Amino acid sequence: QVQLVESGGGSVQAGGSLRLSCAASEYAYTRDCVGWFRQAPGKEREGVAIIGRDAGTLYTDSVKGRFTISKDNAKNTLYLQMNNLKPEDTAMYYCAAGSYCTGLAPRPFSYWGQGTQVTVSS
């Protein structure tokens, strides 16, 4: 059974930090690529960060230097450490797993969690 369950979202002031977690089933976690995406109201879903089997990472430009994606293989858990949060980071954040780790486009990712809300106030 494929399962991805996000947690760790919340409301913070600009400049604050949050750490998102995604607990994944074995099948989901062992896909070639896992990552974090977000969708703000009225906007399309966008890739935030992905990490491959080899631990190679890719970030969207707007979060470079502020967000860090990591995974704990012993726990089948994916993380997103978010520092220096900005109001424009406000969105529903989703973790996802897929068979291709070629970029930040959502389409190749087949498995999705339900999302966790992140709200950043100025």
Side-chain angles (χ1 to χ4, degrees):
Q1 183 179 2
V2 178
Q3 238 181 348
L4 294 161
V5 181
E6 303 96 335
S7 62
S11 297
V12 296
Q13 290 191 324
S17 298
L18 286 172
R19 188 176 82 154
L20 305 183
S21 299
C22 175
S25 61
E26 181 76 16
Y27 181 83
Y29 191 81
T30 54
R31 299 305 92 201
D32 284 345
C33 198
V34 288
W36 290 96
F37 296 77
R38 66 187 180 187
Q39 188 167 18
K43 295 189 176 181
E44 292 188 355
R45 190 168 297 188
E46 65 169 347
V48 175
I50 59 174
I51 185 167
R53 279 179 179 261
D54 62 355
T57 58
L58 181 65
Y59 295 89
T60 192
D61 286 346
S62 63
V63 307
K64 286 180 181 177
R66 300 189 297 123
F67 291 11
T68 302
I69 188 171
S70 62
K71 55 183 182 175
D72 184 334
N73 294 334
K75 298 180 179 179
N76 285 3
T77 300
L78 180 70
Y79 300 101
L80 184 68
Q81 178 66 44
M82 305 186 295
N83 297 328
N84 191 21
L85 282 159
K86 303 177 180 180
E88 51 263 43
D89 295 318
T90 295
M92 184 71 78
Y93 282 71
Y94 301 89
C95 69
S99 299
Y100 304 97
C101 220
T102 56
L104 293 168
R107 183 176 292 184
F109 290 80
S110 303
Y111 308 105
W112 293 85
Q114 295 300 305
T116 186
Q117 178 68 37
V118 172
T119 303
V120 185
S121 58
S122 57

